[in-house]
Amino acid sequence: QQQVKQSPQSLIVQKGGISIINCAYENTAFDYFPWYQQFPGKGPALLIAIRPDVSEKKEGRFTISFNKSAKQFSLHIMDSQPGDSATYFCAAHISNTGKLIFGQGTTLQVKP
Amino acid sequence: DTGVSQDPRHKITKRGQNVTFRCDPISEHNRLYWYRQTLGQGPEFLTYFQNEAQLEKSRLLSDRFSAERPKGSFSTLEIQRTEQGDSAMYLCASSLNRNGYTFGSGTRLTVV
């Protein structure tokens, strides 16, 4: 019940295209949903985050769409660039704990 | 203060040896977290501190693992009698209160 399921495992997109990564959860105690970007040899870096009382949040080329009733959320990367090639993790924070539960990750490759 | 600092970046040790990792969080952050990440997986929660108090420990943190944050500033993670299964990236993160984790670049442990 504390899992966050992420798909796809890998994604190849042409430069300028839209990258879409999906996550699903079961635990209604999750109260904060961040996305992280990780490059090889580096720690995850916070990209964008959303709370469940908001259906969409946009920051530059990155948008989170959140569907509370379906318990799903997704990351959209518009105008994908080769520099976006990285591993992306969705995560969910459990209310009143310090714990983030991460998805399994999506490796994105943006072809020039 | 430019971020979360972890030392060492890489550690190779022989099975059965003890190892200790250090994490220096962002100075004004009161929360500090340890995660473990194996290849191709998302980070898994190990433990977290609020100031000097260790508030939660994962079942992943066996009795061979111990973490401390003696003065509410830096933290150490010690693994005793290392096993090959301990080989992973150990990530430290800090935050001011519950959200907005900042991760360090991690310590990659290889047990041979």
Side-chain angles (χ1 to χ4, degrees):
Chain A
Q1 194 182 16
Q2 290 197 355
Q3 282 186 321
V4 177
K5 295 183 179 179
Q6 184 172 345
S7 63
Q9 188 174 357
S10 62
L11 182 61
I12 300 174
V13 172
Q14 292 292 328
K15 179 182 175 181
I18 302 174
S19 304
I20 302 174
I21 305 170
N22 300 298
C23 285
Y25 66 96
E26 290 294 325
N27 191 343
T28 56
F30 290 147
D31 63 351
Y32 173 73
F33 300 87
W35 285 88
Y36 285 84
Q37 179 189 57
Q38 187 175 29
F39 293 103
K42 300 291 187 182
L46 179 64
L47 202 56
I48 187 173
I50 198 167
R51 296 194 181 279
D53 53 349
V54 177
S55 61
E56 185 175 281
K57 183 174 182 181
K58 184 176 180 179
E59 289 183 1
R61 296 185 293 110
F62 302 93
T63 300
I64 300 178
S65 297
F66 190 86
N67 186 330
K68 189 174 181 178
S69 61
K71 297 179 187 173
Q72 295 176 348
F73 58 111
S74 60
L75 176 70
H76 292 62
I77 305 174
M78 312 299 287
D79 187 27
S80 299
Q81 300 296 312
D84 297 331
S85 298
T87 301
Y88 292 81
F89 293 96
C90 62
H93 180 267
I94 300 176
S95 178
N96 296 324
T97 77
K99 192 184 300 186
L100 270 181
I101 306 297
F102 283 82
Q104 297 89 339
T106 297
T107 302
L108 171 65
Q109 182 184 358
V110 181
K111 290 194 168 181
Chain B
D1 193 318
T2 57
V4 177
S5 176
Q6 292 190 245
D7 184 69
R9 291 294 312 277
H10 303 276
K11 178 72 176 178
I12 300 174
T13 191
K14 291 183 178 179
R15 188 163 50 104
Q17 296 294 305
N18 299 344
V19 293
T20 301
F21 311 140
R22 177 179 170 123
C23 171
D24 287 274
I26 294 173
S27 58
E28 61 267 27
H29 285 183
N30 59 346
R31 289 194 169 202
L32 186 147
Y33 313 84
W34 286 99
Y35 281 75
R36 181 170 69 186
Q37 186 177 25
T38 52
L39 204 60
Q41 299 295 317
E44 295 176 295
F45 173 81
L46 292 178
T47 189
Y48 90 98
F49 295 83
Q50 179 161 314
N51 300 313
E52 66 274 11
Q54 188 173 19
L55 296 187
E56 188 171 352
K57 291 168 55 173
S58 164
R59 287 174 298 170
L60 293 174
L61 215 66
S62 75
D63 57 3
R64 296 185 298 107
F65 288 70
S66 63
E68 294 183 344
R69 194 183 184 197
K71 296 182 180 179
S73 57
F74 74 92
S75 175
T76 57
L77 177 68
E78 181 183 16
I79 309 174
Q80 296 183 328
R81 305 181 304 281
T82 52
E83 302 173 354
Q84 286 190 322
D86 298 331
S87 295
M89 175 79 85
Y90 290 84
L91 293 163
C92 176
S94 68
S95 72
L96 182 61
N97 301 315
R98 290 191 300 156
N99 302 138
Y101 284 32
T102 300
F103 280 90
S105 291
T107 293
R108 178 162 297 284
L109 173 66
T110 303
V111 181
V112 297

